Amino acid sequence: MREFPENHEGRQIIVAPNWIGDAAMAAPFFASLRAAFPGDRIEALAAPWAAGILDTFPWLDAVLRTEGGKWRSFFSAPSKTRRNGINALWLLPNSFRSALLGRWLGASRRIGYATGGRGWLLTHPVPPPPDSPPPHLVDYYLGLLEAQGITPAHRSARLPVSPEASEFADRLIGEETGGGEAPLIGLNPGAFFGASKTWPVESYAALARRLTAGGRVRVLVLGGPKEVDLADRVCAAAGGAAINLAGKDSLHTLPGLLARLSVLVSGDTGPLHIAALVGVRTVSLFGPTDPLRTAPRGEAHRDLRREMACSPCFERVCPLGHHRCMKEISPEEVAEEVEEILANALPSRPAEAPK
């Protein structure tokens, strides 16, 4: 039974996930909500670090920013929002705080999973799905729509790359690499979540050396402003086999940069999921997190992990101190996956927004 009337028109706000990767995996939810309500004004409310990628989403009319992740600022930022009627507020995070925010904003419909004792704050609480087998995060978000009788129009989504991001990427790559037609392989060694998601510097360096042997490909090391030092260490250990682009782009231009890659190698972190969203093939390295929940899906994507009694632990730092779940993934097997992708077929260039 559809909870929303077919002729519904109004303003809807989505409280977005706090992590960049989770926000990217929510793209099918945003696209499906837009398809279901083409005449509505649809906005996202997000913390600053996730808002940058949401700014690139064509399914949104606006992105409202909180003033950081602190409790007090979370409620102060949307005060103007509260004065304008909100017909529906969708809570993608499972936090009690986000449900309290929805109540404070006064939305007539507050829809989210009834977790953590917050069901009483919601007008339309949704029972969470069972954990066995664990639902993929894409499906988890879409379950909120399905619980309201809305059939998702999109189980996957493609993010068009803006002309500005494309032009930026072409200019940066040209300046840093000197141009050329060799395929570009991206390495993303960092992880905002914590050290437990990171593959060793030496492993990334060994991978770069193997992939560039014979001049078959060029390797670019990516990362945010806080990951420049890490990228420097990878490039130094690679002995000139990799080019450091860390800190030279932004979340607004990252889709354009990722779209120029033939393959991205990364842990389970934001750029991995943005790469999948713009249609780039990926090889993802999983340790403390569960690929059943968050690995990019489809034939274009490969994931590698080690089965261990302690994983997935979802800890930011390895509680046992050995980090074996990541260390035991070898550069040779990662290289084989990349080389197989390149041998089969290079992906077509992702769709770009019209100029």
Side-chain angles (χ1 to χ4, degrees), residues 85-100:
I86 304 170
N87 300 91
L89 187 132
W90 302 83
L91 303 169
L92 300 192
N94 283 328
S95 66
F96 188 89
R97 178 177 63 179
S98 64
L100 192 61

Side-chain angles (χ1 to χ4, degrees), residues 254-268:
L254 180 59
L257 186 57
L258 292 170
R260 294 299 178 264
L261 303 177
S262 293
V263 186
L264 176 72
V265 178
S266 175
D268 178 20

